[in-house]
């Protein structure tokens, strides 16, 4: 007899469970299922995210529903549309061998009349978000006056999201005799209040320590300067080529902006937040589940309860306002017994929050250092080597081999390997050569004497100030092209191009300084003499630029690293008039390949190694970028 059988579940459920591939019940299932099957009781079940709460109420619910009776017998309330759909889907799976059970999802953003029609056809179980449910009740589209079961799933989340009133109102529309099952990861006051108000002598089940995070998740933090947050995120992604992650930001706006930056920098990323339409959100989630998206940048609300298997990392790009929310974030990884890592990118002033979180999750954070350029290159190289090793050969290629051999036959094996790897890798190395180390450490770590990370030597790039800018219809890409041509330099020789309105900055290696000064100072642009000076800056492109040019517009951006990209193709492609429309739509790809200012993720097909992402990986960012586009709030995006 298998363990699920011992819990008292019937044949058709056992069969469905077999299909689901669950071998043993999880702890919360083991505790909740027999109790719920045995008698009609109220229950409060507290268990961390990812512990299988859906099945803990879903299995007994399916077994208790009378399939021959078409009336609505159960209402499941859940915080978000995503969760609502997820639970509906699960319940359908559980009941697939039980004829006649209908589960209907009710949530905002979709046709209410269609949902009402589905309910009319006979839905024994309604899974709903509180807002839409309330709406349906008000319009008399649904009758829950005779339900036997009401389940409050992720109760803490629903209350966090401000659904208290709705829940109270919905519950008051249900009969007193029903059973109420409340499932929650945490037990804040408000949840306790609901339990007290609406439940009678509930049995309480607690799995693991209350409020504690899942132990399959390890927690790490990286201390950075505030201006390096984004660079840190990129490096973490670069250092984890197989990353499959949810990246949390605090606001919709940051979520959108970070996703856009990542996409611009060639990562397969997408934004998920409340300003997207339902269809867009569905599309994003589908791509994420299909792993065409490696970095899902999300708000807390939008990502609530998302159950996607095998998420390797949760990244707290910014810590949440409410520390408790951290638990929900980190619960997106380490699910179903898998290991996961929850990363916090933190600045000095936020460090104390780490200890508060440690108290809540009852686990310690490990402080880590943002990998250096060299380390990242090593990781990526090894990843590439492994990828080459594991690549399956399509024998179509045999036809071309004689010609290829002809070209390559003089190379030794060693040379060949070196060159092959370099094809993919030169640009990566070039990028990290030009970018300084951003790691920083909290004092106790420094005291422990941990060694500084290795870094490429900065070849002492020279930063220039030039008196042409967006007013002359340049964006960073077109200015880079222009300089490249005018100076007859290669595409990697000019970097960190930062275009302002009436002036710009760029870097070269010192060997080109004479050329830059001689040639550029003697060029005229539409009748105006170009003036170039060496910026007193260190070539890192930081800070004081904005003050150049006598109080001209201060964009508030300090880093020449990614900022120019924003200034450039991306925005101008869309809000064209504003930036002079200097690039045509569709030129983004070219931008990635030719002129990227960031590590060339895109370039190397090798890097995106998530299964099934091959070939698809080119699609994903573009798609999400479209989502981002149409949904982008129309306000100025200059933060
Ligand atoms: P929670 O609601 O507690 O956050 P879920 O019910 O969403 O967790 O379950 C998390 C994941 O664990 C899902 O992918 C689910 O399919 C899986 N799961 C649930 N129960 C089991 C089980 N007994 N064995 C294996 N996997 C399970
Ligand atoms: Mg759940």
């Amino acid at each position: 007899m298998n363990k699920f059988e011992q819990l008292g579940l019937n044949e058709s459920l056992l069969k469905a469970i077999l299909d689901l591939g669950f071998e043993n019940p999880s702890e919360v299932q083991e505790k909740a299922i027999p109790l719920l099957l045995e008698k009609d009781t109220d229950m409060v079940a507290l268990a961390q995210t990812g512990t299988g709460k859906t099945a803990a109420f879903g299995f007994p619910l399916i077994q208790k529903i009378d399939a021959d009776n078409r009336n609505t017998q159960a209402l499941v309330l859940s915080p978000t549309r995503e969760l609502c759909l997820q639970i509906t889907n699960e319940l359908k799976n559980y009941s697939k061998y039980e004829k006649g059970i209908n589960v209907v999802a009710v949530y905002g953003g979709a046709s209410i009349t269609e949902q009402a029609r589905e309910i009319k056809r006979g839905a024994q179980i309604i899974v709903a978000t509180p807002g839409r449910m309330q709406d349906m009740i008000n319009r008399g589209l649904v009758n829950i006056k005779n339900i036997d079961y009401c389940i409050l799933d992720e109760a803490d989340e629903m209350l966090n999201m401000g659904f208290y009133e709705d829940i109270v109102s919905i519950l008051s529309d249900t009969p007193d005799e029903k059973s109420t099952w409340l499932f929650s990861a945490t037990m804040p006051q408000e949840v306790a209040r609901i339990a007290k108000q609406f439940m009678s002598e509930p049995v309480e089940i607690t799995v693991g320590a209350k409020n504690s995070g899942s132990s399959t998740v390890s927690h790490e933090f990286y201390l950075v300067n505030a201006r390096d947050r984004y660079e840190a995120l990129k490096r973490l992604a670069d250092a984890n080529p197989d990353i499959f992650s949810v990246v949390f930001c605090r606001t919709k706006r940051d979520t959108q902006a970070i996703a856009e930056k990542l996409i611009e920098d060639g990562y397969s990323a997408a934004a998920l937040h409340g300003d997207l339409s339902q269809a867009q959100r569905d599309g994003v989630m589908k791509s994420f589940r299909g792993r065409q998206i490696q970095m899902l940048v999300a708000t807390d609300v939008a990502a609530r309860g998302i159950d996607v298997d095998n998420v390797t990392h949760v990244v707290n790009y910014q810590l949440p306002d409410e520390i408790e929310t951290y638990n929900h974030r980190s619960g997106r990884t380490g699910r179903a017994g898998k290991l996961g890592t929850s990363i916090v990118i933190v600045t000095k002033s936020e460090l104390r929050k780490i200890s508060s979180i440690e108290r809540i999750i009852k686990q310690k954070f490990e402080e880590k250092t943002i990998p250096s350029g060299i380390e990242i290159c090593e990781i990526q190289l090894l990843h590439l080597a492994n990828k080459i090793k594991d690549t399956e050969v399509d024998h179509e290629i045999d036809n071309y081999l004689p010609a290829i051999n002809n070209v390559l036959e003089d190379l030794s094996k060693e040379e060949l390997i070196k060159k092959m790897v370099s094809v993919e890798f030169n640009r990566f190395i070039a990028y990290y050569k030009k970018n300084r180390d951003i790691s920083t450490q909290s004092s106790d770590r420094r005291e422990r004497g941990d060694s500084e990370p290795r870094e490429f030597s900065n070849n002492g790039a020279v930063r220039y100030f030039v008196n042409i800018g967006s007013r002359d219809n340049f964006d960073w890409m077109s200015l880079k092209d222009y300089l490249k041509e005018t100076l007859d330099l290669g595409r990697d020789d000019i970097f960190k191009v930062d275009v302002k309105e009436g002036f710009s900055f760029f870097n070269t290696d010192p060997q080109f300084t004479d050329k830059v000064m001689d040639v550029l100072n003697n060029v005229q642009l539409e009748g105006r003499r170009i003036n170039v000076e060496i910026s007193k800056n260190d070539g890192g492109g930081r800070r004081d630029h904005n003050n150049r040019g006598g109080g001209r517009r201060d964009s508030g951006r300090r880093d020449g690293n990614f900022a120019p990209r924003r200034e450039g193709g991306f925005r101008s492609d869309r809000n064209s008039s504003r930036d002079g429309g200097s690039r045509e739509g569709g030129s983004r790809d070219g931008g990635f390949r030719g002129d990227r200012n960031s590590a060339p993720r895109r370039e190397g097909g090798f890097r995106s190694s998530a299964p099934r992402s091959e070939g698809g990986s080119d699609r994903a960012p573009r798609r999400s970028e479209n989502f981002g586009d149409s949904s982008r709030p129309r306000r100025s995006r200059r933060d």
Side-chain angles (χ1 to χ4, degrees), residues 100-257:
I101 291 193
N102 282 322
V103 189
V104 169
V106 162
Y107 48 86
S111 158
I112 196 165
T113 43
E114 179 50 36
Q115 290 173 353
R117 202 170 302 143
E118 275 189 66
I119 290 171
K120 253 213 170 109
R121 268 183 235 133
Q124 289 95 342
I125 304 175
I126 295 175
V127 185
T129 53
R132 172 56 64 100
M133 192 61 203
Q134 182 61 52
D135 213 10
M136 290 203 119
I137 293 171
N138 291 345
R139 299 200 204 181
L141 296 174
V142 62
N143 177 8
I144 50 169
K145 292 204 181 335
N146 297 309
I147 59 170
D148 301 310
Y149 307 98
C150 180
I151 291 118
L152 305 174
D153 190 29
E154 315 271 351
D156 50 351
E157 283 297 339
M158 285 198 286
L159 294 168
N160 262 344
M161 292 171 68
F163 283 133
Y164 181 82
E165 310 275 314
D166 286 315
I167 291 171
V168 167
S169 160
I170 292 166
L171 286 178
S172 61
D173 218 46
T174 61
D176 287 343
E177 315 81 67
K178 71 178 183 305
S179 301
T180 305
W181 306 343
L182 184 153
F183 284 78
S184 189
T186 60
M187 189 69 170
Q189 295 247 311
E190 272 190 306
V191 175
R193 198 159 115 215
I194 290 266
K196 216 171 141 207
Q197 237 176 311
F198 292 95
M199 300 170 83
S200 65
E201 295 168 25
V203 279
E204 199 178 316
I205 287 176
T206 305
V207 170
K210 275 186 199 175
N211 287 358
S212 89
S214 160
S215 59
T216 51
V217 179
S218 54
H219 303 263
E220 303 174 347
F221 75 86
Y222 292 81
L223 183 65
V224 300
N225 295 315
R227 61 165 189 264
D228 291 330
R229 226 182 254 280
Y230 178 71
E231 178 68 25
L233 176 63
K234 285 201 304 179
R235 289 195 179 205
L236 289 170
D238 287 344
N240 293 284
D242 290 326
I243 196 167
F244 181 52
S245 61
V246 184
V247 178
F248 285 96
C249 296
R250 246 193 317 243
T251 63
K252 289 181 209 168
R253 196 173 169 181
D254 287 346
T255 302
Q256 182 69 30

Side-chain angles (χ1 to χ4, degrees), residues 4 21-26 29 47-55 86 90 94 153-154 307 309 332 335-336:
F4 282 107
F22 296 1
E23 283 172 7
N24 288 302
S26 70
Q29 290 161 5
Q48 307 140 12
T49 44
T51 51
K53 293 193 287 296
T54 317
Q86 206 170 285
E90 293 266 299
Y94 304 166
D153 190 29
E154 315 271 351
D307 178 34
D309 285 342
R332 299 307 119 224
R335 294 175 79 75

